[in-house]
C-alpha cells in the first residue's frame, strides 16, 4: 500500500470489501495488525544489510521467539504482525529459495524472492477469506550487490536502504532517515537501529539482529 | 466505463453489486482507487508513444518503485491504482506477449494485447470477489504503426493519442488536450507531460518515462 | 423482458433476487444500465438491414470506440450498456458463427445466432453473480432473407423491423415507428436513424453505421 | 402449488427460503411472475387439444414473439412468465422428446413429458439460486388419447381439460369452466378461448393458436 | 420429529438453523407445510393396510391428481405437503424398491424401505438448502406381515396401525384412535377413514384409496 | 462439552459461531436439543452394563420406536436428541464395528468405538452446516471388561459407570449417583433406572432396556 | 497470539473476521474458550519436563478423562479448551510423530513437532469455518535436550521453561515464575505445580501428571 494510494488514517470501517474512497477494507485491517507488531528495522549500505527486530519483553521462563530467520545461505528475513502469519510467509520464502536452487543450481536473486512473496500475498487479497496480517523485510546479497526489500499484505514490495515496520514505526523511521549514512559500519548500523527502536518505544530495547555483507555473502545472526 | 455509461460522480454507495441507476458498485469502487494512484500519462503521435508516470515523493532510503514496465521488445506499459493489482496485470501482459511469440513466432500486435487485458479484467467483474483496482496504459509499435491504449477495471479498452489516469487526472488531461500536437518531438512530449503533471499536483514532479518510436521500434525507458 | 412481463417503472428495489411482484431485481438493474448506454438503432426492410449507433462525443485525443461489429461475412451486431459486457457478447457471437461454419460448412442463420445469445444471457440470470448489462441488436441475411433481432439481458430475443436501445430509446423509437417505410432506400434509413437519434439527444449526432443488403449479402460498415 | 397447499394470497414476504406458514418464498415469487405473463389457455376434449396464448400488443415494427411451440410431431406447448425462462423450458421439452425417440424409436407419451418437466423444475427449487419463473401447458396425443397438462414452477404437474395461466387467469378460467363442453368443435374451442381472454383483458385479443387432434395426431399452429 | 423432541407449537421463528430451545428451524417450517397438505390417513390391521388421501375439491376441468401411488407390487405410498416434494420422494421409493429386486431378486421389506426414505430425508436437513416439505405413509406386506410406516421431513420414521398427516390431522387422528379395531374389515376401515376426514374438514370428502391385504399381497387402488 | 468448559446456562445466544465467552453457539443449541429428548440412562458394574431409555407415551396405534440398538454382538447403544440424528449415529457405529470385524477378524473394543463416534461428531462442528443434535451412550464388553461410554455432539467422549442424558437428566442422575453400588444385580440396576426416570418425569415410566454381561458377553434387549 | 500483538482485553466483539485494531475476531474467541479450560501447567529444567493438568471434579460414576497424553515414546502433550478440539490435536501430533519414525527411522525432534502443530492450527485461521479452540503444551527430549513448547489457536508456538494455560492461568503462572528454579527435582516441580493450581482455583486440586527426564528419555505418566 506504499505511497501509491496514500496513508491509512483513522477512517471509519465497513464490512464490505471496498470501503469508502475505494480502499480495500480487509487489507487496511491487516496493515493495522502489522502496526501492532514488534518494531522491526532493515538497513542497507553498499557493504552490508542488517535486520533488527525488537524482542518484546517476554514473561520469565519463556524463550524469546526467533524474529530473524535465515531463508537461504545468502538471504535472511524478518517480519511484523501476527506470528502465525509471519511463520507461514517465512516458510514460503524458504520453499521458493530451495526450488530455485533445485531448478537452476544457483542462489535465487533477492528481487525475485521479494516479487514472489508479493504475488503470494496478493493472491490472498483476491481469493482468500482474509489477507495475511504481516509485513516482511528481506535482506540478501546477489549478483547486483546487497539488497533490501519490504513486502506488505497487499502484495506491494519496495526496494530501499531503510525500512521500519511494526509498533511506532514512524518514530523509528524518522531516526533512521536522519542518521543514515551509506558508509556506516555494521557496528554503527546496529547502534542506529538500537537508537531508533529506543526512541520509538521509550525504553532500552532488547533486539535480535542478522547481517549479510557484500564480502562474505552469508546471512548470519549476531550474538 | 468510458463515456458509454457516463461519469462516476459522488453518488451514494450500496453494498449490492448493482447500485442505483444500474451501476456496478464494485467497479465504481475500483475506479475510485485508480483515481488515488500516481498521475500517469500516455501520449502518442505517428512517430512515437510516450508513457510518463509521476513518482510520488517517497520517503528517504526507499528506492522509487518502477512505474514504467517493458512488456516485450516492442511494447511497454504503466498503470495507476493498487500496486499489487498493477503488478499482477503487468505479469499477465508479459505472459500474453510471450505466448504469442511462442505460438506465432512474431511480436503480438498492441490491439490484441489491450483486448486480452480487457477481457482478463472483465472476468473479475463477473466471477471474482472483487474487480482489479488498476487502470493500465499500453504503448507499442506494430504493423499498423504506433499504438496507445488505456484499459480500465471494467474491461473497457480505448485507443487514442492522449490518456491520463490517477490523481487529478482531469486537470492534467486538460493540459495535454490543449497543447497536444501530432508533430511534437519526443522532447516536446516529455515537456508536455511534465507540465500537465505539475499543473495537476501543484508541484514540480519527478517522473519515470518510457518511449517507443516508429523508427527503432523498441520500447525503452529514458534516463 | 419485453411486453410479456410489463414495463420496468420506478419501483422500489430490494437486494433479493425476486423483488415485489415477482420481478427479477438484478435483471431490472442490468436493463437500467442498458438504458444509460449509447442510443443505438436497428432498421430492417426486405432489401437491407441497418445498424446505427450514436458515438458519444469522446474527449479529444481518444479514438472513438468501435460500436458496430462484423460477426461473420453475412452478419453484424451492435450493443448498448456496459462496454466490457458488450465486448464479451460480441466475442460470443463471433465464436458461435465460426463454430457453425466449422461444423456445417455454411453460414449460420440469424435466428439461431440470436437464440444462442439469448440462452447464453439467460444462463447468467440463473448461475452467475450478475446478469450481463448489455442489449444487443443483430442484423444479417440468410436463406429466409434479411433479418433483424434484439437480445436483452434476460435472454429474451425479438425479431422485428425497428429497434432502439440505450439512452432516450423511447423518443427515438417513436420517430422510427412513425416514419418507417418498408420501401425505404438505405440512404433514407440512414437519414431516419440520424433524425431519431437527434430527436432523442437534442443534438446533431455522430453515428457509426453498418449495413447488410439482400443483394450483396455482406455486412459492411459505411464510411 | 395447486390446491394441495392452498392459494397464494397477499401474505407478507420474507427473504428466507421458507416463509410464514411453511411457504416456499421464492416459489411464491416465481408464481407471481407467471401471473404477470400473457393470458394463456389450454382446452382439451376427447377429439382435440388446443393451446391459445394472448399476444400482447407489441410495438410497431416488432414481429410478435412465437408463443405456441411445436415440441415433437405429436405434441406442442406454450407458457407464461419470463420469456427467457419459458424458452429454456421449451428447449428442455424438445430435448427430452428427441431423447425418447432415439432410445425407444417411438414418440414420447405426454404424461412422461410433463413429469420430466416437473422434476426438472423441482430441482431448481432445491439446488438453484432461483426457481424458474414460468408455467407451461403441454398438449399432445399418445396411445391413451388426447392429453393436456399444466406444469408449475414448484414442479407440480396437473392433467385436465381446461387450464388458464398468466394475467387475470381467474377471470378467463371462469369463462372456460362455465362454457366448456366435451363435444365442442375446434372452432367452438377457439371461440371460447377468445371470449375468455377478451373477458379477462377487457379488449379484443390477438391470439396465437395451436391444435392437435385425435384423428391426424399432429400438433399444428392455426393461421 | 415425533414425540421424542416434543410438539411444534407457535414459537417465534428465526432465520438461523437452530432456533430457540435447540429446534431445527427449517425442519419446523417443512413440517408446517405438511400440516397444510391434504388430510391423509393410513390404517393397518393384521389382515390389511389401507391408505386414504383426501382429494381437495379441484376446479372443474382438472383431473384430480393421483395421491395414492404404487411403489412396487407389494407396497404403496401416499404423502402430504408440497406436491413437487412428494413426487420426488415417491420416485426415490420406487427406485429403491427396483434396486432391491435387481440386487436380491426378492421384494424389499417395508421397514428397509421406510428406513431408506428416512435417511434420504435426513441428508437434506444436513447438506441441502432446505429439507423436503413432505411426510409420507408407506403400506405393504412382507415376510413379517402387513406393515405401515410414516416418514417425516426430519428423517424420523415410525411404525404403527394408524397415522394421519396433513390438514387438521389432530382431529382426524382422534376419530381413528377412538374407533380403530384390529378386526375391522377393509370396508369398515374405508368408512372410518371417510368419517375421520369428514370430521376434520367439516365436509363430505372425496378420497382416493389404496389397499394391500395379507392374503393376495398386492397393493391396489380401489375404485 | 463436559466439565472442561463449564456448564451451559441460560446465556443469551447469538447467531455467530463463537458466542460470548468463547462458546460454540451451534453446539450449545445441539446440546439443548439433547436435553429435550427421552430420559436415557447407562449403568455399569464390573459384572454388566445396562442401557435404559424412557419410551415417551406414544399415541395409540403407533408402535413405540426402538430406542435401544444392538451395534454388534458384544455392544449396544442408545441415544437422546433428534431421532433422525440418532439413527444416523447408530448406523455409523454399526458400520465401524463391521469394518473392524472385516479388517481384524475380531470384535472392536468399546473405547475405539466411542472414540470413532467422537471424532465423527467433531467433524460436524468444523465442516458441516450444523452439529448433530444427539448424545449417545455405548455399552459393551471387550478384553478390558465391561465398558460404558457417553459421546456428545461436540465430539467429547467419557467413560464411566453412570450416565443420564435427555429430559430432566440432572434429577435422574442424582438418584443414580446416590443409590449406585458396584455390586448391584441386573435386576437392582433395572429398578434403579426405573426409579431415576420416575423421579425425573414425575410419572411411572415405560422403558426399553438392553444389557450386556461380563459372563455371556452378548448385548441383549430385555423383554 | 503471544506478546507480539498484545493482550486480548475486554474489547467489543464484531462478527467480521478482522475486528477493530486489526484483531482476528474468531481467534480471540478461540483463545477465550481456552481460558475457560482446565488449569494446565508445563515446567522444564535441564533435567526433566513435567506436564500437570487440573482434573476438574467430575460427577460421581464418571471416570476422569485423560488429560496427559503420550504422543510418542519420548514426548507427551496436554491441552486446555474444547475437549473435542484437544483430542483432534493430540491425534494430529501422534500421526506426525509416527510419520517421522516411518520416513526417517528416528524419533521426531520436539521443535519440529510443535512447528507442525502450529501450521496445522494456522491453516484453520485461514481456510476453516472456525479456528480450533485449544492450546497445547508439548514436552519431550531430543538431541538438543529437554524441550517444552506451547502452541496456540493462532498457530503461534513458543519454547520456554514454564507455561500455564486454562482457567486463572495468570495467577498460577505468577506462582510458577516466582518459585521456579532450574535445579528443582521432579518432586519439587510437582509440588510447585500443585501449589500454583491451588492458588489459582482456591481449592486443593486433583491433577494428572506426566514427566520426561533427560536421563531415561521416556515420557511417562505419574501415579
Amino acid at each position: 500500500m506504499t505511497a501509491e494510494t496514500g496513508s491509512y488514517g483513522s477512517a471509519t470501517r465497513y464490512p464490505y470489501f471496498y470501503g469508502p474512497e475505494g480502499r480495500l477494507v480487509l487489507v487496511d485491517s491487516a496493515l493495522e495488525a502489522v502496526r501492532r507488531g514488534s518494531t522491526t528495522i532493515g538497513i542497507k549500505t553498499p557493504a552490508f544489510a542488517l535486520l533488527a527486530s525488537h524482542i518484546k519483553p517476554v514473561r520469565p521462563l519463556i524463550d524469546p521467539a526467533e524474529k530473524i530467520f535465515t531463508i537461504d545461505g545468502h538471504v535472511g528475513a524478518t517480519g511484523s504482525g501476527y506470528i502465525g502469519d509471519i511463520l507461514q510467509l517465512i516458510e514460503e520464502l524458504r520453499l521458493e529459495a530451495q526450488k530455485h536452487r533445485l531448478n537452476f543450481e544457483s542462489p535465487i536473486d533477492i528481487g525475485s524472492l521479494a516479487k514472489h512473496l508479493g504475488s503470494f500475498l496478493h493472491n490472498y487479497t483476491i481469493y482468500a477469506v482474509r489477507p495475511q496480517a504481516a509485513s516482511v523485510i528481506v535482506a540478501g546479497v546477489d549478483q547486483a550487490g546487497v539488497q533490501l526489500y519490504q513486502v506488505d499484505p497487499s502484495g506491494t514490495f519496495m526496494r530501499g536502504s531503510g525500512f521500519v515496520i511494526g509498533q511506532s514505526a514512524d518514530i523509528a523511521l524518522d531516526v533512521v532517515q536522519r542518521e543514515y549514512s551509506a558508509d556506516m559500519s555494521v557496528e554503527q548500523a546496529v547502534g542506529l537501529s538500537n537508537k531508533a527502536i529506543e526512541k520509538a518505544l521509550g525504553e532500552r530495547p532488547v533486539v535480535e539482529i542478522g547481517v549479510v555483507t557484500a564480502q562474505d555473502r552469508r546471512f548470519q545472526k549476531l550474538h
Side-chain angles (χ1 to χ4, degrees), chain A:
Chain A
M1 297 286 108
T2 72
E4 172 72 14
T5 49
S7 64
Y8 290 87
S10 59
T12 325
R13 264 169 202 84
Y14 293 86
Y16 313 119
F17 206 74
Y18 279 101
E21 307 186 358
R23 302 251 203 100
L24 284 168
V25 176
L26 287 176
V27 170
D28 266 33
S29 298
L31 280 165
E32 195 137 343
V34 170
R35 257 176 243 118
R36 301 172 61 86
S38 300
T39 316
T40 297
I41 293 180
I43 292 175
K44 183 193 77 177
T45 72
F48 67 88
L50 168 148
L51 301 178
S53 185
H54 171 54
I55 305 299
K56 291 195 182 178
V58 288
R59 309 174 342 228
L61 305 184
I62 294 197
D63 300 357
E66 188 180 26
K67 286 301 307 293
I68 305 291
F69 303 88
T70 300
I71 300 304
D72 195 357
H74 65 306
V75 50
T78 184
S80 199
Y82 273 103
I83 291 189
D85 292 356
I86 296 172
L87 293 174
Q88 184 188 18
L89 299 180
I90 293 299
E91 279 312 295
E92 182 63 28
L93 285 173
R94 284 172 175 161
L95 201 66
E96 184 66 13
Q98 283 173 12
K99 273 192 207 161
H100 192 280
R101 281 206 185 267
L102 234 70
N103 293 335
F104 303 101
E105 300 185 344
S106 72
I108 195 170
D109 68 286
I110 315 308
S112 297
L113 199 58
K115 188 173 170 180
H116 172 78
L117 187 61
S119 83
F120 181 80
L121 281 161
H122 185 251
N123 274 340
Y124 279 87
T125 72
I126 304 185
Y127 302 115
V129 168
R130 62 172 182 96
Q132 295 292 287
S135 287
V136 168
I137 304 178
V138 182
V141 180
D142 57 23
Q143 290 177 321
V146 179
Q147 308 284 348
L148 188 74
Y149 282 90
Q150 175 179 334
V151 193
D152 282 339
S154 66
T156 307
F157 59 93
M158 295 165 283
R159 210 174 64 143
S161 302
F163 294 117
V164 185
I165 54 180
Q167 198 179 332
S168 303
D170 293 344
I171 301 170
L173 187 55
D174 190 60
V175 176
V176 172
Q177 287 169 350
R178 271 190 289 106
E179 307 199 7
Y180 173 86
S181 153
D183 52 13
M184 288 191 293
S185 66
V186 169
E187 291 67 30
Q188 288 171 317
V190 169
L192 174 54
S193 77
N194 279 344
K195 183 175 172 186
I197 295 175
E198 189 167 353
K199 187 76 178 297
L201 306 180
E203 58 182 286
R204 204 173 171 72
V206 182
V207 296
E208 192 181 350
I209 290 180
V211 172
V212 60
T213 65
Q215 202 167 12
D216 70 7
R217 309 179 72 83
R218 294 198 63 75
F219 184 83
Q220 285 181 298
K221 292 165 77 167
L222 296 191
H223 298 286

